């Protein structure tokens, strides 16, 4: 179920009552596991069987990896874990994509193989929990996790932990499993309130910013030929705000809910639109995924040991990252663009290192602001293939923008939605800017009464300007 649905409000109310009643008992872990499966099964109960199968296989492989006396056996069960996870991910997410692409390629050569695609329903969150399972087996093999989890119930609870199950953050076993083993902890009211603040801010990002921007974005991408260059540029900037509000909002709600109930999860966003470069952007955007690819793909391939290794590994990692996001050539193009931009940035940095000119003081601050603006514009432009449903849509919108008609279209202004996006966007910009300058620590030190007033004001703005059309979270499709 979605965090923004009334069903979730009922779910979290019942879960909170159960939490308060069972937190000190041995029944809490089974309760948390059942609640997580109820949460996940709400979309389609059949998904629960796949989640349980994946969980059992990785739990079993983890035990075998830890208990094996020789390296060959350990490697065998590691490959079984990796093969099972990637096999399920490939079948449900990528089989039709590759089958359709092969069919088109062969047809262009005059070979008709007939239709080979299947009617497959994509399980919600499969990209997230397969990566979580993969990291457990790999970390056991490499020694990052010293001891396997020997309770199937606790391991299943780790995999199915409902706040982050369907859209992350992607939590590592070494971080969350010890907390599952320990059970709910006594944490100060201050920490629970800080979790509630994250939840409220997450809902504002989703309902106040992302869902208002979705109205503008969907109109342009559903019928791109009806809008001119100016309207499509506005649409791209709105999508840049939408995807940030949507995904960062989900992550904050998940992290905040976990914190309220005594669990700590990793930060997933760190004000990415204040990045001063593409590499910096990926240190701030979807942090749990970018660090996952760094640790399990980029570094094992050789990392940055040489310049040419870095070029190869950046390209491969970003192409895989693009494909992880969706089974469509648009996502491959998006990953390729980010990989190429990161390599161009590397080259420019090498040239800058040779320059005798060094900025300082006001010039350095101005240069930083310029770089933030440039990176934001570049990232916004690269969101085009990410949002488009096909390469044809990408070329259509690029052609309209290239045509250069930047006049106002009276019938397509969507003034009300744009005003709401502007109000929410300015609030988010102000908060992120203050946090970037270190004001977050000072705010956290203020008394709870003052912070409660801020939260109340934020809720009021959300009620006045928010969109309650219950748009699905974008990353549910991944």
């Amino acid at each position: 179920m979605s965090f923004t649905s009334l069903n979730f409000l009922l779910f979290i109310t019942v879960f909170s009552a159960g939490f308060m009643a069972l937190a000190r008992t041995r029944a809490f872990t089974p309760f948390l596991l059942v609640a997580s499966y109820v949460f996940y099964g709400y979309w389609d109960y059949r998904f629960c069987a796949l989640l349980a199968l994946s969980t059992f296989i990785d739990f079993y492989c983890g035990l075998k990896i830890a208990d094996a006396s020789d390296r060959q056996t350990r490697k065998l069960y590691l490959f079984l874990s990796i093969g099972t996870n990637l096999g399920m991910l490939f079948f449900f997410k990528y089989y039709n994509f590759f089958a359709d692409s092969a069919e088109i390629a062969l047809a262009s050569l005059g070979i008709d193989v007939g239709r080979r695609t299947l009617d497959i329903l994509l399980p919600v969150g499969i990209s997230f929990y397969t990566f979580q399972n993969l990291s457990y087996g790999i970390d056991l093999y490499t020694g990052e996790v010293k001891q396997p989890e020997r309770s199937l119930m606790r391991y299943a609870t780790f995999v199915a932990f409902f706040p982050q199950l369907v859209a992350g953050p992607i939590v590592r076993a070494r971080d969350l499993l010890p907390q599952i083993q320990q059970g709910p902890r006594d944490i100060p009211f201050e920490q629970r309130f800080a979790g509630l603040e994250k939840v409220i801010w997450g809902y504002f990002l989703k309902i106040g910013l992302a869902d208002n921007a979705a109205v503008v974005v969907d109109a342009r991408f559903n019928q791109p030929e009806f809008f001119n260059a100016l309207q499509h540029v506005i649409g791209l900037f709105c999508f840049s705000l939408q995807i940030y509000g949507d995904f960062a909002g989900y992550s904050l709600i998940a992290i905040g809910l976990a914190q309220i109930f005594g669990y700590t999860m990793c930060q997933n966003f760190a004000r990415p639109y204040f990045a001063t470069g593409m590499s910096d952007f990926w240190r701030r955007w979807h942090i749990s995924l970018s660090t996952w690819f760094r640790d399990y793909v980029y570094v094992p391939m050789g990392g940055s040991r040489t310049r040419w290794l870095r070029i190869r590994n950046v390209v491969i990692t970003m192409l895989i990252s693009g494909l992880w996001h969706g089974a469509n050539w648009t996502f491959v193009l998006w990953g390729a663009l980010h990989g190429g931009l990161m390599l161009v940035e590397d080259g420019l940095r090498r040239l800058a290192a040779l320059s005798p000119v060094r900025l300082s003081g006001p010039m350095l601050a101005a240069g930083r602001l310029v770089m933030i603006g440039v990176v934001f514009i570049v990232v916004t432009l690269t969101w085009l293939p990410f949002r488009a449903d096909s390469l044809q849509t990408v070329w259509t919108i690029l052609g309209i923008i290239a045509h250069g008609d930047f006049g106002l279209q009276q019938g397509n202004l969507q003034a009300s939605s744009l005003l709401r996006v502007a109000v929410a966007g300015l609030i988010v910009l102000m908060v992120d800017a203050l946090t970037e300058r270190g004001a977050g620590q000072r705010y956290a030190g203020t008394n709870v009464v003052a912070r409660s007033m801020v939260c109340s004001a934020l809720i009021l703005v959300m009620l006045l300007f928010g969109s309650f059309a219950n748009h699905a979270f974008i990353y549910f499709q991944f």
Side-chain angles (χ1 to χ4, degrees):
M1 62 189 75
S2 173
F3 284 163
T4 56
S5 68
L6 292 176
N7 291 318
F8 180 74
L9 179 61
L10 175 62
F11 168 84
I12 202 63
T13 301
V14 174
F15 178 81
S16 298
F19 174 85
M20 289 186 288
L22 301 173
R24 299 293 173 206
T25 70
R26 298 179 66 179
F28 178 74
T29 300
F31 169 71
L32 177 57
L33 177 59
V34 170
S36 295
Y37 268 79
V38 169
F39 173 83
Y40 187 63
Y42 183 82
W43 277 282
D44 191 321
Y45 68 91
R46 293 171 296 180
F47 294 163
C48 292
L50 184 68
L51 176 62
L53 176 63
S54 172
T55 299
F56 178 77
I57 291 173
D58 283 283
F59 172 74
Y60 175 77
C61 289
L63 292 178
K64 292 298 184 180
I65 290 171
D67 295 341
S69 58
D70 60 281
R71 182 181 178 87
Q72 199 63 31
T73 304
R74 287 165 53 84
K75 187 176 292 186
L76 172 65
Y77 283 102
L78 173 65
F79 286 164
L80 176 60
S81 171
I82 294 173
T84 301
N85 282 289
L86 294 184
M88 288 193 300
L89 189 60
F90 174 85
F91 177 75
F92 285 99
K93 190 169 182 177
Y94 300 109
Y95 173 81
N96 281 343
F97 168 66
F98 285 109
D100 190 52
S101 298
E103 180 187 334
I104 294 172
L106 290 171
S108 67
L109 298 174
I111 304 172
D112 183 12
V113 295
R115 188 158 182 81
R116 292 288 185 266
T117 55
L118 302 174
D119 187 14
I120 302 172
L121 185 64
L122 179 65
V124 176
I126 188 170
S127 296
F128 290 91
Y129 68 73
T130 51
F131 270 32
Q132 195 158 308
N133 275 326
L134 278 170
S135 66
Y136 173 68
I138 296 171
D139 284 352
L140 273 173
Y141 182 81
T142 60
E144 288 292 328
V145 172
K146 304 300 181 185
Q147 295 293 329
E149 175 53 66
R150 297 189 179 276
S151 165
L152 177 58
M153 182 177 295
R154 285 197 296 264
Y155 182 76
T157 304
F158 153 70
V159 176
F161 188 56
F162 77 86
Q164 50 75 230
L165 174 58
V166 295
I170 301 171
V171 183
R172 309 287 180 89
R174 62 176 179 262
D175 297 323
L176 185 56
L177 256 178
Q179 299 181 65
I180 299 292
Q181 293 163 350
Q182 180 182 355
R185 298 173 293 116
D186 277 330
I187 63 172
F189 169 78
E190 172 70 21
Q191 284 184 251
R192 295 192 193 275
F193 184 77
L196 179 62
E197 287 178 305
K198 290 183 178 72
V199 171
I200 293 172
W201 183 239
Y203 273 112
F204 181 83
L205 286 171
K206 171 61 176 173
I207 295 172
L209 180 61
D211 286 358
N212 277 315
V215 176
V216 179
V217 173
D218 290 349
R220 284 151 179 76
F221 279 88
N222 290 341
Q223 295 179 306
E225 63 276 5
F226 291 159
F227 296 87
N228 68 3
L230 176 62
Q231 292 295 327
H232 277 301
V233 169
I234 292 172
L236 282 175
F237 276 94
C238 282
F239 182 69
S240 203
L241 298 177
Q242 179 194 357
I243 193 167
Y244 172 54
D246 195 280
F247 195 22
Y250 185 96
S251 295
L252 276 174
I253 296 169
I255 294 167
L257 284 173
Q259 185 171 340
I260 289 171
F261 295 115
Y263 298 93
T264 301
M265 295 198 301
C266 59
Q267 183 183 21
N268 212 25
F269 286 84
R271 304 164 301 283
Y273 291 149
F274 282 84
T276 56
M278 296 305 296
S279 296
D280 187 29
F281 173 80
W282 278 103
R283 283 189 288 268
R284 296 166 174 261
W285 179 274
H286 201 349
I287 297 169
S288 64
L289 179 70
S290 59
T291 54
W292 197 99
F293 276 118
R294 179 197 66 198
D295 295 343
Y296 300 113
V297 178
Y298 183 78
V299 171
M301 289 193 302
S304 302
R305 285 205 300 259
T306 68
R307 181 182 176 187
W308 296 112
L309 268 180
R310 173 163 171 76
I311 291 173
R312 185 199 70 179
N313 295 342
V314 164
V315 170
I316 292 174
T317 302
M318 293 312 299
L319 286 175
I320 295 174
S321 174
L323 198 58
W324 178 91
H325 281 84
N328 196 316
W329 288 111
T330 56
F331 292 108
V332 177
L333 174 59
W334 174 76
L337 287 171
H338 274 261
L341 288 166
M342 290 173 71
L343 294 178
V344 169
E345 179 181 89
D346 279 355
L348 292 175
R349 281 179 176 166
R350 289 177 181 275
L351 290 176
L354 300 175
S355 172
V357 179
R358 294 290 182 269
L359 299 179
S360 61
M363 290 295 292
L364 183 62
R368 176 179 170 81
L369 285 175
V370 170
M371 287 305 302
I372 289 172
V374 169
V375 171
F376 175 70
I377 291 171
V378 169
V379 168
T380 296
L381 291 175
T382 63
W383 285 129
L384 172 55
F386 189 98
R387 175 57 180 81
D389 56 2
S390 67
L391 291 175
Q392 181 59 47
T393 302
V394 174
W395 311 140
T396 299
I397 293 176
L398 283 177
I400 293 171
I401 293 175
H403 187 264
D405 179 7
F406 287 91
L408 290 176
Q409 291 178 300
Q410 295 301 322
N412 291 325
L413 286 178
Q414 296 174 301
S416 175
S417 294
L418 285 171
L419 175 62
R420 292 166 183 263
V421 173
V423 171
L426 286 173
I427 293 173
V428 172
L429 173 64
M430 179 182 68
V431 171
D432 278 3
L434 289 172
T435 306
E436 187 73 9
R437 293 178 63 84
Q441 294 295 327
R442 294 193 295 273
Y443 172 77
T446 58
N447 65 72
V448 171
V449 175
R451 289 159 59 190
S452 297
M453 294 175 64
V454 172
C455 289
S456 300
L458 197 62
I459 292 171
L460 179 61
V461 174
M462 184 164 50
L463 291 173
L464 290 173
F465 290 93
S467 171
F468 296 90
N470 198 21
H471 292 274
F473 285 91
I474 292 173
Y475 269 67
F476 281 2
Q477 64 185 295
F478 305 139

